[in-house]
């Protein structure tokens, strides 16, 4: 029997009464968990097998799946479901994890970021876009692709009068280096300072970072491209809903 904390990322119905879950766990990374009987009306594990649900799980390892033996709820994050913005951004956070990491690759830092993110989100009243941009920047950093913002990633120049962000090089580049990446994206002072601020400010304190919605949206679009490039994916499905909210 294995014990670990975990958050349900996704549920899929299996046959009449069972579910196959994608669960992000602290000890084993992302795993597929068979929850037998989760759809039975009087099932004891209904609350433990819904997206966002954060539990202490007892599992055993089978041939193709882990099997759920028992779940003790730590936080259902129920209040995420009380507001359309929270649930929409929340599903995007789950999809980010689900699509970005291979199975059974443990990353405790990323796990803690997810828990912290869901905790902050569950009582967030405004600043949703600012929150998600800060989350994205931290997420991609903890995944191992921290954007290089200190100086030109190519030549090391500190001159920031005229800079672009290069998705392919993973950081800012100076005007002497623009030719290296013709697809790099112009970054003005507000965008640059916003990125630095949101990367290094903790999620509870993002209201300290002053930035316009327009600049936030530009960072969001750029960082989504940067994440997709690094995880080798084409798109996130949950982003369509976020767009319609904006
Ligand atoms: Zn340079």
């Amino acid at each position: 029997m294995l014990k670990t904390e975990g958050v349900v990322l996704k549920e899929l119905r299996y046959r009449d009464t069972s579910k196959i879950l994608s669960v992000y766990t602290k000890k084993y990374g992302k795993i597929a968990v068979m929850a037998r009987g989760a759809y039975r009306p009087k099932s004891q594990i209904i609350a433990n097998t819904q997206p966002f649900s954060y539990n202490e799980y007892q599992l055993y390892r089978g041939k193709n799946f882990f099997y759920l033996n028992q779940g003790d709820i730590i936080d259902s994050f129920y209040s995420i479901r009380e507001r359309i913005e929270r649930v929409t951004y929340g599903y995007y956070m789950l999809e980010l994890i689900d699509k970005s990491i291979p199975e059974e690759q443990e990353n405790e830092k990323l796990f803690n970021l997810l828990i912290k993110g869901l905790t902050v989100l569950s009582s967030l009243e405004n600043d949703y876009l600012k929150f998600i941009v800060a989350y994205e920047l931290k997420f991609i950093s903890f995944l191992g692709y921290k954007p290089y913002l200190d100086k030109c990633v190519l030549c090391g120049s500190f001159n920031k009068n005229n800079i672009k962000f290069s998705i392919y090089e993973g950081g800012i580049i100076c005007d002497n280096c623009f030719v290296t990446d013709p697809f790099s994206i112009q970054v003005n002072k507000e965008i640059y300072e916003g990125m630095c601020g949101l990367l290094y400010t903790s999620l509870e304190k993002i209201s300290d970072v002053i930035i316009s919605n327009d600049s936030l949206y530009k960072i969001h679009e750029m960082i989504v491209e940067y994440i997709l490039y690094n995880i080798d994916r084409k798109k996130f499905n949950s982003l369509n809903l976020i767009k319609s909210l904006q």
Side-chain angles (χ1 to χ4, degrees):
M1 196 69 72
L2 312 166
K3 265 183 127 178
T4 180
E5 290 174 25
V7 175
V8 178
L9 303 175
K10 207 165 72 181
E11 56 177 350
L12 270 176
R13 197 173 192 125
Y14 179 70
R15 298 204 170 139
D16 278 350
T17 60
S18 296
K19 275 182 190 180
I20 297 169
L21 307 172
S22 174
V23 179
Y24 193 49
T25 66
K26 194 173 191 170
K27 278 193 200 159
Y28 310 101
K30 184 179 73 173
I31 55 173
V33 175
M34 174 70 78
R36 282 182 292 201
Y39 275 110
R40 284 201 192 104
K42 285 183 181 166
S43 166
Q44 304 286 313
I45 53 170
I46 291 175
N48 312 109
T49 60
Q50 286 173 338
F52 300 114
S53 180
Y54 172 32
N55 298 270
E56 172 81 34
Y57 286 114
Q58 283 181 27
L59 309 160
Y60 56 95
R61 194 191 275 267
K63 209 170 165 191
N64 300 312
F65 299 104
F66 286 78
Y67 287 84
L68 177 59
N69 186 59
Q70 197 189 317
D72 294 308
I73 213 139
I74 299 170
D75 196 332
S76 66
F77 291 119
Y78 189 79
S79 56
I80 288 180
R81 296 170 189 276
E82 288 171 346
R83 285 185 81 140
I84 182 77
E85 294 93 344
R86 288 182 196 156
V87 78
T88 308
Y89 285 101
Y91 270 113
Y92 171 52
M93 286 159 69
L94 301 184
E95 190 185 0
L96 270 177
I97 297 266
D98 196 47
K99 286 221 169 122
S100 302
I101 48 172
E103 301 233 323
E104 294 197 48
Q105 199 177 86
E106 177 267 344
N107 183 338
E108 200 172 320
K109 247 179 135 178
L110 207 56
F111 182 83
N112 291 336
L113 176 72
L114 177 65
I115 299 302
K116 174 92 165 277
L118 293 176
T119 305
V120 172
L121 181 67
S122 61
S123 63
L124 201 65
E125 300 286 347
N126 47 43
D127 273 349
Y128 293 102
L129 185 59
K130 200 193 277 183
F131 166 81
I132 211 66
V133 171
Y135 186 86
E136 288 167 336
L137 284 162
K138 293 172 202 306
F139 173 82
I140 194 64
S141 299
F142 291 171
L143 207 61
Y145 305 101
K146 186 171 173 180
Y148 196 79
L149 302 175
D150 298 349
K151 50 190 175 179
C152 175
V153 64
L154 289 171
C155 73
S157 161
F158 280 101
N159 187 353
K160 296 195 186 96
N161 290 328
N162 186 14
I163 51 173
K164 292 187 176 183
F165 184 78
S166 167
I167 285 170
Y168 307 107
E169 303 295 346
I172 54 164
I173 53 177
C174 73
D175 50 4
N176 285 327
C177 298
F178 285 173
V179 287
T180 317
D181 178 3
F183 299 105
S184 54
I185 303 155
Q186 195 73 45
V187 168
N188 65 25
K189 192 164 182 276
E190 188 188 26
I191 291 178
Y192 174 74
E193 286 173 358
M195 278 175 85
C196 296
L198 292 170
L199 176 58
Y200 294 111
T201 304
S202 78
L203 288 173
E204 305 101 317
K205 298 214 171 123
I206 49 160
S207 55
D208 295 353
V209 179
I210 309 295
I211 181 169
S212 69
N213 252 350
D214 188 51
S215 292
L216 270 178
Y217 198 75
K218 282 184 182 139
I219 303 176
H220 170 63
E221 287 199 307
M222 200 163 72
I223 295 302
V224 168
E225 285 309 310
Y226 180 60
I227 295 172
L228 288 169
Y229 171 73
N230 282 301
I231 65 172
D232 201 16
R233 295 267 184 169
K234 290 272 178 289
K235 64 168 189 158
F236 296 112
N237 298 324
S238 51
L239 277 181
N240 294 336
L241 247 162
I242 290 186
K243 253 189 190 142
S244 68
L245 275 183
Q246 282 155 355

